[in-house]
């Protein structure tokens, strides 16, 4: 880009070298001028009370808007398939599924009829209620799905109001997009040739925007908090998507350095030759299973594309979240779980019992809690509201005729919770048998290790269940007493903290002693160095977002497992996360020289 181009409508920078640190959402370097977008493309909407005679007209407007939104999303989906391949179309599939959800549509219409209001306000009100429920969920991946619903709602409101938002297809100059957030469908609509990168205030590494950016090889940094307040359209900027850094108004020498770096990276070979279908093996022949974390049924098409060996974690609460306050019945759940069983093949699927609080399900007697993370949720709620638990169990047992489905109990803290759950499971089996309903009585039962109490009691849990599954996201938060979403203390969320590593090593020893499988399904599994550390500790099955599997497969193929195990034995004797990171930074390149090249090829 020519920064001296006076004829450009973009203004010259006025300040120099402001550095901002965010989350490295998509690697690579972008050097260009900023185009600042309005906040999420949202516009102000108004509350309008309509007469009884106008209610039918508002419902009709809503119906027409849904039809138009469907057409727009299908067009964007077709473009994604053309540009990126079918494996990324599931992102728009999830938008279409949200839009087409009969209960969502029914709730919108009911909002109009009951409150006699305009369709725009009904969309906003219903969406805000559902998004509020999403944001209370502990699982970060699920929390970020609220962005997808916001995306669908924004499209509906734009259509209803006739508002014309920024059209990314009309970009005729190469720019770096800067926004509070960039909705997934906006990313999908981009003229890929004219967007150098993007930087946002919010967003996470598992957001669909970040996933699409990685697929497009567009450098992106998210979670910058207030970049929109520090930059204006026309300012020069650098995005270092590998380091998660943004530099506003860089000096000319710095621009020159980054342009050279960008050219150097462009010459690196791509990683398109990843052999996803081959089993994952370390250099010394240790077999590692890489499974997928899913919550949308449509994502199941991504399993063979990324080389996943079945589903390590299916977050069933997504089905519930989409239906609040009404819950799917046994038949509907059975149909979905049967599809999972059929699609997952011999490697199978592990279904996590729904992990929500009672207030989110609008259950009678449940109010909002001051601290829902430590409140009535997950297995605690299932044991309290047994009808919901039993319905889900019946559906899973009936769907598991191939014997490849498993059940995981979340947030188990006491052995009594496991025993009570097993008693209910036996009641469900007895009922099915008495009703002469076909079901699988041998469905495997796992326990999620997410709290320190469960980790300390893991030998008992392993003894009384079929396998253990470690959710590192929650386990690390609870061990270190850190809310990683709280920016004041997020730096204390340390996967390499010795207490975390010692806990994981303890869990591996317990599982080996009890001869029970141990799987890790938290975000540690998606980071190459952390995944290597887990393998060094003895973990042999990792589950992650499907798009991370090729990266982890390549990284693990560069290591000698016995050497990494010796390295982690040293790490377990260190006193701080910094010391562990220093050890790994120093030793891993020596022990696995191919690792550096493998990671660099992904950059």
């Amino acid at each position: 880009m020519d920064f001296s181009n006076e004829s450009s409508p973009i203004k010259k920078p006025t300040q120099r070298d402001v550095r901002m640190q965010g989350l490295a959402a998509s690697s690579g370097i972008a050097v260009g001028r900023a185009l600042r977008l309005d906040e999420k493309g949202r516009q102000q909407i108004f509350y309008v009370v309509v007469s009884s005679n106008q209610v039918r007209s508002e419902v009709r407007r809503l119906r027409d808007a849904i039809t138009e939104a469907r057409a727009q999303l299908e067009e964007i989906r077709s473009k994604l398939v053309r540009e990126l391949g079918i494996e990324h179309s599931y992102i728009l599939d999830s938008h279409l599924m949200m839009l087409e959800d009969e209960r969502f549509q029914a709730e919108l219409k009911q909002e109009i009829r009951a409150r006699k209001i305009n369709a725009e306000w009904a969309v906003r009100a219903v969406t805000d209620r559902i998004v509020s429920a999403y944001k209370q969920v502990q699982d970060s991946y699920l929390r970020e799905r609220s962005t997808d619903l916001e995306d669908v709602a924004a499209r509906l409101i734009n259509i209803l109001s006739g508002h014309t938002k920024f059209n990314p297809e009309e970009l005729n100059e190469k720019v770096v997009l800067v926004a509070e957030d960039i909705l997934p469908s906006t990313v999908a609509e981009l003229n890929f040739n004219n967007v150098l990168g993007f930087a946002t205030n919010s967003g996470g590494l598992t957001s669909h925007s970040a996933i699409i950016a990685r697929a497009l090889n567009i450098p992106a940094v998210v979670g910058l908090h207030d970049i929109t307040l520090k930059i204006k359209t026309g300012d020069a900027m650098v995005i270092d998507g590998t380091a998660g850094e943004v530099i506003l108004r860089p000096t000319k020498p710095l621009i020159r350095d980054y342009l050279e770096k960008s050219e150097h990276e462009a010459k690196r070979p791509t990683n398109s030759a990843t052999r996803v279908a081959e089993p994952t093996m370390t250099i010394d022949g240790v077999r590692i299973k890489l499974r997928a974390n899913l919550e949308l049924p449509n994502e199941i098409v991504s399993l063979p594309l990324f080389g996943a060996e079945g589903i390590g974690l299916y977050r069933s609460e997504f089905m519930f979240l989409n239906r609040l306050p009404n819950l799917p019945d046994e038949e509907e759940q059975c149909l979905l779980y049967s599809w999972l069983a059929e699609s997952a093949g011999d490697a199978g699927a592990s279904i996590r019992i729904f992990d929500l609080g009672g207030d989110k399900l609008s259950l009678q007697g449940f109010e909002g809690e001051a601290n829902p993370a430590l409140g009535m949720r997950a297995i605690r709620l299932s044991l309290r509201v047994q009808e919901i638990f039993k319905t889900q169990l019946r559906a899973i047992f009936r769907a598991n005729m191939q014997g490849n489905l498993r059940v995981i109990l979340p947030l188990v803290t006491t052995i009594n919770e496991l025993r009570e759950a097993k008693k209910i499971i036996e009641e469900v089996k007895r009922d099915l048998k008495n009703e002469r309903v076909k079901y699988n009585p041998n469905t495997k039962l796992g326990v999620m290790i997410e709290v320190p109490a469960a980790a300390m009691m893991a030998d008992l849990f392993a003894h009384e269940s079929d396998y253990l599954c470690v959710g590192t996201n929650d386990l690390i938060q609870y061990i270190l007493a850190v809310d990683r979403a709280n920016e004041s203390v997020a730096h204390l969320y340390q996967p390499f903290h010795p207490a975390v590593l010692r806990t994981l090593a303890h869990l591996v020893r317990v599982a080996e002693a009890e001869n029970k499988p141990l799987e890790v399904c938290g975000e540690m599994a998606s980071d190459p160095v952390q995944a290597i550390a887990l393998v060094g500790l003895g973990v042999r099955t990792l589950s992650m977002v499907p798009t991370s599997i090729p990266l982890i497969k390549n990284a693990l193929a560069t290591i000698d497992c016995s050497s990494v195990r010796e390295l982690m034995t040293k790490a377990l004797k260190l006193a701080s996360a910094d010391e562990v990171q220093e050890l790994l930074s120093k030793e891993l390149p020596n022990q696995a020289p191919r690792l550096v090249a493998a990671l660099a090829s992904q950059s």
Side-chain angles (χ1 to χ4, degrees):
M1 173 173 283
D2 180 6
F3 285 89
S4 63
N5 184 3
E6 297 292 345
S7 64
S8 170
I10 294 175
K11 298 176 183 176
K12 283 187 174 182
T14 55
Q15 288 181 279
R16 299 290 182 183
D17 274 18
V18 177
R19 291 177 178 264
M20 300 183 70
Q21 188 66 43
L23 299 174
S26 180
S27 60
I29 292 172
V31 181
R33 296 201 187 277
L35 174 62
R36 188 168 172 270
L37 304 182
D38 293 338
E39 295 182 359
K40 293 186 178 181
R42 285 174 61 162
Q43 60 171 315
Q44 187 176 12
I45 59 173
F46 298 94
Y47 178 89
V48 178
V49 177
V50 299
S51 68
S52 299
N53 294 335
Q54 292 174 308
V55 166
R56 184 176 296 177
S57 171
E58 288 302 306
V59 171
R60 188 165 54 247
R61 286 182 62 229
L62 173 68
R63 194 179 298 123
D64 292 344
I66 290 172
T67 301
E68 174 61 24
R70 183 188 305 118
Q72 291 182 8
L73 288 172
E74 287 175 346
E75 185 177 339
I76 300 169
R77 183 184 184 281
S78 299
K79 181 186 177 186
L80 263 189
V81 172
R82 285 197 306 273
E83 301 282 351
L84 299 180
I86 188 70
E87 66 268 32
H88 292 287
S89 63
Y90 76 88
I91 294 172
L92 267 297
D93 286 341
S94 68
H95 285 55
L96 282 163
M97 189 174 75
M98 288 176 175
L99 179 69
E100 298 287 6
D101 187 279
E102 292 181 3
R103 291 176 188 262
F104 175 57
Q105 293 187 14
E107 197 168 342
L108 293 176
K109 293 170 186 171
Q110 177 61 19
E111 191 79 7
I112 294 172
R113 292 178 178 128
R115 299 177 62 185
K116 291 185 172 59
I117 56 174
N118 54 324
E120 291 92 331
W121 194 266
V123 173
R124 187 73 269 149
V126 171
T127 301
D128 285 349
R129 280 204 297 271
I130 299 175
V131 167
S132 175
Y134 270 112
K135 289 183 176 175
Q136 299 301 318
V137 177
Q138 294 304 304
D139 190 307
S140 61
Y141 192 80
L142 272 181
R143 272 204 307 271
E144 289 185 359
R145 298 289 73 77
S146 64
T147 304
D148 299 327
L149 183 60
E150 286 274 23
D151 198 341
V152 172
R155 185 171 298 279
L156 277 175
I157 292 172
N158 278 329
I159 294 170
L160 283 164
S161 60
H163 174 69
T164 302
K165 65 173 187 176
F166 160 70
N167 184 356
E169 286 190 322
E170 294 176 356
L171 277 178
N172 53 17
E173 183 178 2
K174 290 184 183 298
V175 294
V176 178
L177 298 182
V178 178
E180 179 190 342
D181 196 3
I182 299 181
L183 296 172
S185 67
T186 299
V187 179
E189 287 178 296
L190 292 173
N191 180 339
F192 303 146
N193 295 322
N194 286 335
V195 176
L196 299 169
F198 67 76
T200 62
N201 289 350
S202 57
L205 298 180
T206 54
S207 66
H208 278 155
S209 297
I211 291 171
I212 294 176
R214 288 193 285 272
L216 290 169
N217 285 324
I218 294 177
V221 177
V222 301
L224 290 158
H225 303 298
D226 59 356
I227 187 172
T228 54
L229 299 178
K230 296 180 177 177
I231 196 167
K232 62 181 182 298
T233 294
D235 285 352
M237 64 183 294
V238 171
I239 289 181
D240 186 339
T242 306
E245 188 177 46
V246 169
I247 305 166
L248 310 183
R249 296 173 284 279
T251 58
K252 285 185 177 178
L254 199 62
I255 289 174
R256 191 162 51 245
D257 289 346
Y258 273 99
L259 285 174
E260 289 176 1
K261 191 175 178 183
S262 177
E263 289 174 8
H264 176 70
E265 290 196 348
K267 294 175 182 176
R268 287 177 175 162
T270 65
N271 191 45
S272 58
T274 302
R275 291 168 289 186
V276 295
E278 296 183 1
T280 303
M281 306 282 283
T282 63
I283 289 176
D284 51 342
V286 176
R287 175 85 161 85
I288 311 294
K289 290 183 180 177
L290 301 183
R291 295 158 69 81
N293 295 341
L294 303 182
E295 77 280 350
L296 289 174
N298 288 330
E299 287 181 296
I300 205 161
V301 298
S302 67
L303 297 183
L305 295 169
F306 294 108
E309 297 183 74
I311 302 167
L313 179 68
Y314 180 74
R315 299 177 173 94
S316 66
E317 55 268 25
F318 180 83
M319 174 186 239
F320 289 80
L321 275 173
N322 252 9
R323 309 297 296 273
L324 297 177
N326 303 305
L327 302 179
D329 61 20
E330 180 182 328
E331 291 304 317
E332 187 177 349
Q333 290 190 57
C334 183
L335 193 62
L336 170 61
Y337 302 146
S338 297
W339 186 31
L340 286 180
E342 182 181 347
S343 305
D346 293 339
S350 297
I351 300 172
R352 183 172 73 182
I353 295 299
F354 75 90
D355 183 0
L356 287 175
D359 55 322
K360 307 303 173 301
L361 296 175
S362 301
L363 298 174
Q364 188 173 6
F366 288 89
E367 304 295 337
E369 297 174 296
N371 193 348
L374 302 180
M376 183 56 69
R377 53 172 276 238
I379 189 63
R380 300 168 185 177
L381 184 68
S382 293
L383 297 177
R384 180 91 168 267
V385 189
Q386 295 186 11
E387 285 310 306
I388 296 175
F389 188 30
K390 287 180 177 178
T391 298
Q392 188 170 23
L393 289 171
R394 284 175 63 97
I396 295 171
F397 295 160
R398 287 176 54 201
N400 192 24
M401 298 312 295
Q402 298 181 49
N404 62 347
L405 295 181
R406 305 188 299 180
V407 171
I408 314 176
L409 303 177
L411 203 72
V412 174
T413 309
T414 71
I415 198 69
N416 286 342
E417 289 173 332
L418 173 59
R419 289 172 178 169
E420 191 174 349
K422 291 174 71 174
K423 189 184 297 183
I424 293 172
I425 286 171
E426 292 308 312
E427 288 177 17
V428 169
K429 291 178 180 176
R430 191 164 54 247
D431 290 345
L432 288 167
K433 184 178 180 181
N434 291 339
E435 295 167 21
R436 298 181 183 279
V437 175
K438 289 184 179 179
Y439 74 102
N440 187 334
N442 301 314
T443 302
K444 301 291 186 187
L445 176 67
V447 172
M448 286 207 75
I449 305 296
E450 300 176 277
V451 297
M456 294 300 294
M457 304 281 285
D459 55 333
L460 295 175
F461 288 122
H463 188 67
E464 298 194 22
S465 64
D466 296 308
Y467 70 105
L468 301 178
C469 182
V470 185
T472 53
N473 301 353
D474 277 349
L475 183 60
I476 294 172
Q477 289 193 116
Y478 288 128
I479 286 178
L480 303 180
V482 169
D483 177 1
R484 61 183 183 153
N486 180 339
E487 61 185 55
S488 299
V489 295
H491 64 286
L492 298 174
Y493 180 88
Q494 299 172 338
F496 286 138
H497 191 293
V500 174
L501 297 182
R502 293 182 186 196
T503 302
L504 292 168
H506 165 71
L507 292 172
V508 170
R509 287 195 299 272
V510 164
E512 289 175 349
E514 291 290 333
N515 196 27
K516 297 290 175 66
L518 173 77
E519 303 181 4
V520 171
C521 65
E523 287 182 14
M524 280 188 77
S526 298
D527 178 276
V529 176
Q530 292 174 30
I532 289 171
L534 288 168
V535 170
L537 291 173
V539 176
R540 295 293 176 264
T541 303
L542 304 170
S543 190
M544 64 203 74
V545 291
T547 50
S548 294
I549 291 175
L551 171 64
I552 301 303
K553 182 186 286 280
N554 279 356
L556 296 180
T558 67
I559 63 167
D560 180 288
C561 191
S562 59
S563 297
V564 175
R565 187 136 202 174
E566 289 177 11
L567 186 60
M568 292 311 296
T569 300
K570 291 181 186 175
L572 287 168
K573 297 175 182 174
L574 299 177
S576 71
D578 290 343
E579 291 176 21
V580 173
Q581 286 182 311
E582 184 179 350
L583 173 71
L584 296 178
S585 300
K586 183 179 177 183
E587 295 294 330
L588 269 181
N590 297 328
Q591 294 193 7
R594 284 176 51 208
L595 173 65
V596 177
L599 295 181
S601 71
Q602 307 276 349
S603 301

